[in-house]
Amino acid sequence: MKTYNHYIDGQYVEPIGQKWIDSIDPYEGKPWARIPHGCAQDVDRAVAAASRAMREGPWAKMTATERGKLMIRLADLVTKHAERLAEIEVRDNGKLMAEMRGQVNYHPEWFRYYGGLADKIEGAVMPIDKPDMFAFTRYEAVGVVGVLTAWNSPLLFIAWKCAAAIAAGCAVVIKPSEFASVSTLEYAALTKEAGFPDGVFNVVTGYGAEAGSALVDHPQVAKITFTGSDVTGAKIYAQAAQSMKRVSLELGGKSPNIVFADCDLDKAAAGVISGIFAATGQTCIAGSRLLVQNSVREEFTKKVAALGASARKGNPMLPDTNIGPVTTPGQYKKILDYIDIAKAEGARCILGGGPATDSALPGGQFVEPTIFVDVDPQMRIAREEVFGPVLSIMGFEDEAHAIQMANDTIYGLAAGIWTSDIGRAMRMSSALKAGTVWVNTYRAVSYMMPFGGMKHSGLGRESGLASIQQYLETKSVWISYAEGAPANPFILR
Ligand code: NAD
């Protein structure tokens, strides 16, 4: 079993407290690696290294074009090591190899995209309304960025956050989830091989309340970018306010998949299943509420249940597995608790509804793909994020009813619409309060497309051109070339 160390200032270093945490393989249910149990002093070392990199040394002097070239070199290295990194992610979080292979192979595109953007961040010359004055804006890196990521897609989140931050000229300290840190620690070595100066990328692992919180508090961190639950996000937002940090938050959801009678029901059924059972439901964009038009509700429910019943549970490394284990014991218990709550509230279970008892599944952390009908929109199962393979089906009459039900949530991350009527697609996509709306598809993301949530699903957007602004400060520069007597010092110029 390999023991890992933090990656600080271009080197792997042991944790100051000389403590490590077992990283558990959720499929086997056994430890497979050890990661450092970081403390506030480890965070301090990493932030000091990042600050130094931004103040002095090669990173501070590097041109944006050179930064971009390093990013593209890193992208190529990740492509070269994608299979190994994806296997590590599966060992850590139990998600399907097919899914993680796809994600890790896609990761480099963010570095290519933002690597190309690095030297196209242009300020403006203002046609200023004052005589004898030259006025322009320039964009500067915001400073050291603290990157906090969740366990479900560790390297994808690094792409979403760090590519824009690095292109902007920031240095980063990454604190991955204590449940899935190994891929991030391995990734750090590739940043060195790509040629990034020491201190630009740093990784400190450990628990959120300890290492994570120390990063949020640190006075030399200028910005926090976070992916995780809304409860933790709110805590971080409040804490970061004490030191006036910039904050962006990618949080949870209770996303609706809305099926109209006029759609291709088979395609919609596949989309609904991908929305809730892919990744064992452990995705922020899980389409956990299926809203279906009453005229086809019975027929469509049967289709979805049949497709859900055909999902194969098993070893996430194998290509024919559809459902892997739940990542953590806490999450496993939470999902089972929600299933019990739904039953107690009167929802009717038509598929699954408990732990998978198949003795061929070694780690024990498997939940049956579960579908509830007779769900009332006020039930907890219809309102709270489960983060597991649990679908609630509810009926609606018409567009207005669908919009009202879809928006009746504190969340606003994503929504799916299934219809063959383009006018309806346009009306619905405008009325839904969600950061992403998919029409006749679900779970599509791209480096070009902004992603993020409304309401309790977060603040800010990742991916796309505009997201780089989150890592920049605008500076306004005024230069007077007026001749003659000094201006009146007592009035605003
Ligand atoms: P989490 O909130 O428990 O933890 C996320 C990260 O924050 C981890 O690195 C954790 O160690 C750290 N953390 C925890 N408490 C902290 C604190 N007090 N101070 C600083 N850091 C702290 O989330 P999770 O269980 O890892 O992930 C699941 C959640 O993430 C779900 O709610 C899911 O919807 C959300 N998520 C959102 C997106 C998105 O892009 N919107 C993507 C994936 C997951």
Side-chain angles (χ1 to χ4, degrees):
M1 191 162 82
K2 185 164 174 186
T3 296
Y4 285 85
N5 287 316
H6 299 308
Y7 184 77
I8 297 174
D9 210 8
Q11 290 178 49
Y12 286 100
V13 294
E14 292 189 351
I16 286 171
Q18 289 292 306
K19 286 194 285 183
W20 283 262
I21 302 167
D22 281 347
S23 203
I24 310 290
D25 173 340
Y27 177 64
E28 298 290 347
K30 293 183 190 139
W32 77 281
R34 295 166 80 221
I35 58 156
H37 177 158
C39 62
Q41 288 147 293
D42 293 307
V43 169
D44 195 42
R45 273 163 77 183
V47 174
S51 299
R52 221 168 22 248
M54 289 201 65
R55 243 188 358 256
E56 50 203 61
W59 190 241
K61 296 190 190 78
M62 198 175 280
T63 64
T65 304
E66 286 171 325
R67 278 205 304 274
K69 284 181 185 163
L70 287 184
M71 292 178 70
I72 288 161
R73 214 174 295 154
L74 176 60
D76 293 342
L77 281 170
V78 175
T79 300
K80 190 170 147 199
H81 292 271
E83 191 72 5
R84 180 174 66 81
L85 292 168
E87 276 173 19
I88 290 171
E89 299 225 307
V90 178
R91 290 303 294 276
D92 253 357
N93 67 12
K95 282 173 70 181
L96 301 187
M97 183 61 187
E99 164 108 343
M100 301 328 279
R101 181 185 284 128
Q103 285 191 8
V104 179
N105 274 297
Y106 203 19
H107 169 117
E109 296 307 330
W110 271 262
F111 277 83
R112 296 190 179 109
Y113 179 80
Y114 286 102
L117 182 62
D119 60 5
K120 294 160 197 74
I121 303 164
E122 297 168 345
V125 175
M126 302 298 159
I128 206 75
D129 58 328
K130 321 267 173 211
D132 303 330
M133 194 81 87
F134 184 74
F136 66 97
T137 56
R138 45 177 280 143
Y139 292 108
E140 298 178 356
V142 68
V144 174
V145 177
V147 178
L148 292 158
T149 56
W151 42 261
N152 54 337
S153 301
L155 292 183
L156 194 65
F157 299 144
I158 288 183
W160 291 12
K161 296 169 185 305
C162 296
I166 295 293
C170 300
V172 298
V173 177
I174 308 168
K175 208 300 284 170
S177 166
E178 55 272 32
F179 297 111
S181 289
V182 178
S183 58
T184 305
L185 288 164
E186 287 275 356
Y187 182 89
L190 301 183
T191 67
K192 178 105 176 170
E193 195 180 334
F196 279 96
D198 295 347
V200 175
F201 278 92
N202 304 275
V203 181
V204 175
T205 64
Y207 295 108
E210 198 175 357
S213 182
L215 193 57
V216 176
D217 274 340
H218 202 289
Q220 284 170 44
V221 172
K223 162 154 178 115
I224 292 289
T225 170
F226 169 81
T227 294
S229 66
D230 56 330
V231 174
T232 309
K235 215 184 278 179
I236 286 173
Y237 195 21
Q239 199 177 330
Q242 301 308 309
S243 45
M244 215 55 85
K245 288 184 174 58
R246 281 78 179 116
V247 176
S248 47
L249 305 168
E250 294 288 351
L251 309 176
K254 193 75 193 173
S255 300
N257 234 326
I258 307 165
V259 175
F260 286 92
D262 64 18
C263 77
D264 178 327
L265 292 184
D266 290 322
K267 282 190 181 156
V272 167
I273 292 296
S274 91
I276 189 63
F277 295 148
T280 315
Q282 301 173 116
T283 83
C284 53
I285 48 182
S288 51
R289 291 185 297 150
L290 167 56
L291 309 183
V292 53
Q293 198 154 23
N294 281 329
S295 57
V296 290
R297 181 154 54 117
E298 213 164 301
E299 178 191 355
F300 191 69
T301 299
K302 278 190 195 141
K303 272 186 196 294
V304 170
L307 207 52
S310 71
R312 284 178 302 271
K313 298 177 290 292
N315 185 339
M317 289 288 182
L318 301 179
D320 59 352
T321 299
N322 304 131
I323 305 258
V326 172
T327 302
T328 72
Q331 189 56 33
Y332 178 67
K333 181 175 178 314
K334 182 178 158 194
I335 297 169
L336 295 178
D337 285 350
Y338 267 112
I339 290 174
D340 289 344
I341 290 166
K343 288 177 182 169
E345 283 183 316
R348 186 160 56 89
C349 186
I350 59 160
L351 184 72
T357 48
D358 185 340
S359 58
L361 303 171
Q365 263 171 214
F366 277 82
V367 176
E368 290 290 353
T370 295
I371 299 179
F372 283 104
V373 294
D374 298 344
V375 176
D376 183 278
Q378 295 311 313
M379 287 178 182
R380 288 182 64 190
I381 197 68
R383 307 196 77 76
E384 298 174 19
E385 185 186 43
V386 176
F387 216 59
V390 182
L391 179 67
S392 298
I393 303 184
M394 290 168 273
F396 68 84
E397 279 304 317
D398 53 19
E399 266 180 51
H401 192 197
I403 291 165
Q404 179 272 319
M405 287 178 80
N407 287 340
D408 180 20
T409 168
I410 58 167
Y411 294 109
L413 191 60
I417 304 166
W418 298 85
T419 179
S420 58
D421 178 339
I422 185 68
R424 168 172 283 160
M426 296 301 289
R427 287 188 297 277
M428 292 290 297
S429 57
S430 134
L432 292 173
K433 295 276 173 242
T436 292
V437 175
W438 290 293
V439 179
N440 295 331
T441 185
Y442 204 84
R443 256 187 127 225
V445 294
S446 166
Y447 47 91
M448 313 181 181
M449 194 63 158
F451 178 85
M454 296 185 184
K455 303 194 276 183
H456 282 228
S457 291
L459 284 179
R461 295 290 180 271
E462 291 178 333
S463 303
L465 287 181
S467 89
I468 199 163
Q469 293 296 337
Q470 299 182 115
Y471 299 96
L472 295 166
E473 291 282 15
T474 308
K475 183 174 280 177
S476 302
V477 183
W478 297 77
I479 302 171
S480 168
Y481 52 89
E483 291 177 317
N488 182 343
F490 302 104
I491 57 169
L492 186 69
R493 274 168 185 72

